[in-house]
Amino acid sequence: MKIAILFHWNYGMESGVYKKILCQVKFWRLFGHEVGIFQISRENSEVAECGYNSWKIFRYFPSSWMNRLYAWKSAVQAILKWQPDIVYHRFDLYYPALVELARKAPLVLEINTNDLKEYCLRPDFRCIYNHFTRGLLLREAAGMVFVSSELSKMPHFMRYRKPFIVIGNGIELEDYNPLPPTGNNVPHIVFIGSDGQPWHGVDKILALAELKPDWMFEIIGFNSNETNKVNVTFHGVLFRREYERILARADIAVGTLALHRKKMNEASSLKVREYLAYGLPTIIGYKDTDFPEPVPFILELPNSEQNVVCGIKAIEAFVKKWRGKRVPREAVLRLDAGYKEQIRLSFFLKVLEQYNKQRFS
């Protein structure tokens, strides 16, 4: 197959989304498919083609809505000129050019979030625009790939009755060596996230740091230190080679703790997959798609505002049990991206077959 992947992203190669796309492209090519990468990105954002000649970036000025529309139009024209068999798009906002694309090539949407809730955490133009336009694209899609079962069951996706599959986010396990156990005198806790995403629950990590002043906390991905707690260190945005050293001295990792803030209960977080690939036991505040049943190396707190404060005893017991230990690699093999991408490609073939039947019937 000739597969075009289309996505809007403004952040660099260290972001989880970039790593995921690079991993997908690698395996699609490894399995014998031709892949074209088409990215929409604002001017002056730190993005790169990563050495791929087929990686095309279409820039826009954030202050110009017309310029953004032109970037999407240009990307769609480039895709249609390339003549793919199927297009894979990381679902974002509706743009008129996307409907044109969906009417000329089978378009599969990757659904990563409850957009109706996430985009309205700040009730602004984006929230209103998405509410009234999202259906224009969803009804034209040839198929949908959901990163969690919960998303696939939401009425505002189900109503469009599209072929779909659930594939939790994966990671290339071979690219990560499990870190050796630590010998810390006190527990070291690590978190990787980014600014502007309140569902990460960094405020809850700070609350935990206050409850456990004898534990050490290291927070990666945040540029400002807004606490005077001596047991908390903010590291800002780091490259993998830099934050790997911090992970190596950590006993426990923390994933998203406030998914309830965007009305979701399930996820397959990329950063949690990275933690587990390194062998770090992890605390989360939601159900993980790939671990529907309890496993000893993940502490799943209730998905509620007070989950850290009310769950302090469970957290203490988990940290005591796992401090100085690592998660066995064989326990996380289900997260491997190679296996997941074979499933995704099989779904593409089914969507393409159905699309062609409808087209020529």
Side-chain angles (χ1 to χ4, degrees):
M1 285 184 293
K2 285 184 71 174
I3 307 170
I5 182 167
L6 171 65
F7 66 105
H8 176 205
W9 196 247
N10 297 315
Y11 306 100
M13 295 172 60
E14 290 303 309
S15 68
V17 170
Y18 244 57
K19 292 176 184 177
K20 175 181 175 178
I21 291 168
L22 285 171
C23 186
Q24 288 175 331
V25 171
K26 174 183 176 179
F27 279 107
W28 296 353
R29 288 179 167 173
L30 185 64
F31 296 138
H33 303 281
E34 186 177 356
V35 185
I37 309 109
F38 303 83
Q39 179 181 356
I40 312 293
S41 187
R42 63 172 178 251
E43 281 291 332
N44 301 322
S45 57
E46 295 181 4
V47 297
E49 292 86 347
C50 306
Y52 289 107
N53 292 329
S54 59
W55 195 309
K56 308 299 181 185
I57 299 178
F58 301 85
R59 302 278 191 169
Y60 66 89
F61 296 108
S63 60
S64 172
W65 182 249
M66 291 302 298
N67 187 249
R68 185 181 300 213
L69 292 175
Y70 178 77
W72 281 93
K73 180 72 174 179
S74 298
V76 166
Q77 289 175 342
I79 291 171
L80 293 175
K81 183 178 180 181
W82 193 63
Q83 296 183 323
D85 295 308
I86 200 162
V87 182
Y88 193 58
H89 173 49
R90 183 180 172 85
F91 180 57
D92 191 347
L93 292 175
Y94 160 81
Y95 294 93
L98 289 172
V99 171
E100 176 189 357
L101 177 62
R103 290 174 177 172
K104 294 181 179 179
L107 179 67
V108 176
L109 302 178
E110 181 181 279
I111 311 297
N112 287 275
T113 189
N114 180 358
D115 59 293
L116 284 181
K117 295 299 181 182
E118 180 178 327
Y119 295 172
C120 291
L121 288 174
R122 289 195 301 264
D124 52 16
F125 175 75
R126 186 186 191 206
C127 166
I128 298 169
Y129 175 83
N130 180 65
H131 180 82
F132 286 104
T133 62
R134 64 193 299 277
L136 298 174
L137 178 58
L138 289 168
R139 71 169 56 100
E140 296 291 343
M144 299 181 187
V145 176
F146 296 92
V147 298
S148 76
S149 297
E150 179 188 32
L151 285 169
S152 73
K153 298 172 184 176
M154 290 183 175
H156 52 270
F157 290 120
M158 289 182 65
R159 63 180 295 190
Y160 296 100
R161 302 180 182 275
K162 300 295 180 178
F164 76 90
I165 192 170
V166 176
I167 306 175
N169 286 315
I171 191 167
E172 191 175 358
L173 289 174
E174 286 187 359
D175 198 34
Y176 294 83
N177 294 319
L179 298 168
T182 66
N184 296 322
N185 293 325
V186 298
H188 281 57
I189 316 296
V190 69
F191 172 81
I192 300 177
S194 55
D195 283 319
Q197 298 180 329
W199 58 91
H200 281 179
V202 174
D203 56 309
K204 298 188 181 189
I205 299 175
L206 296 180
L208 179 60
E210 188 168 342
L211 291 170
K212 304 300 296 183
D214 54 330
W215 294 4
M216 302 304 297
F217 295 82
E218 304 201 63
I219 299 176
I220 301 166
F222 291 78
N223 295 316
S224 60
N225 187 342
E226 298 180 357
T227 179
N228 57 2
K229 296 179 178 62
V230 296
N231 62 332
V232 178
T233 302
F234 284 83
H235 290 280
V237 178
L238 302 177
F239 290 104
R240 177 179 167 184
R241 65 180 179 273
E242 296 170 322
Y243 68 70
E244 190 175 83
R245 293 195 293 267
I246 299 172
L247 295 181
R249 60 178 181 252
D251 295 292
I252 306 292
V254 178
T256 294
L257 293 176
L259 202 62
H260 55 85
R261 292 175 182 169
K262 58 177 181 175
K263 308 300 180 184
M264 291 174 61
N265 295 295
E266 181 188 342
S268 56
S269 168
L270 289 164
K271 65 174 173 286
V272 168
R273 272 122 192 83
E274 192 165 19
Y275 295 154
L276 295 174
Y278 279 122
L280 288 173
T282 304
I283 300 170
I284 59 177
Y286 59 88
K287 183 168 292 296
D288 191 291
T289 301
D290 287 310
F291 298 99
E293 299 299 326
V295 289
F297 49 85
I298 295 178
L299 174 61
E300 181 186 323
L301 298 174
N303 188 23
S304 63
E305 195 63 53
Q306 299 299 317
N307 53 2
V308 168
V309 174
C310 295
I312 187 62
K313 295 297 183 183
I315 294 172
E316 289 173 341
F318 183 78
V319 171
K320 181 179 179 180
K321 175 182 177 181
W322 281 97
R323 182 156 67 96
K325 299 178 183 177
R326 294 301 191 214
V327 179
R329 174 52 57 91
E330 58 269 19
V332 297
L333 293 178
R334 72 186 73 180
L335 303 179
D336 190 60
Y339 168 71
K340 289 174 178 287
E341 293 313 315
Q342 290 184 67
I343 297 173
R344 198 183 318 270
L345 289 167
S346 296
F347 178 69
F348 287 176
L349 289 171
K350 292 178 181 178
V351 169
L352 184 56
E353 181 181 5
Q354 182 171 332
Y355 177 86
N356 287 331
K357 282 183 180 179
Q358 294 175 345
R359 182 182 180 188
F360 297 110
S361 61

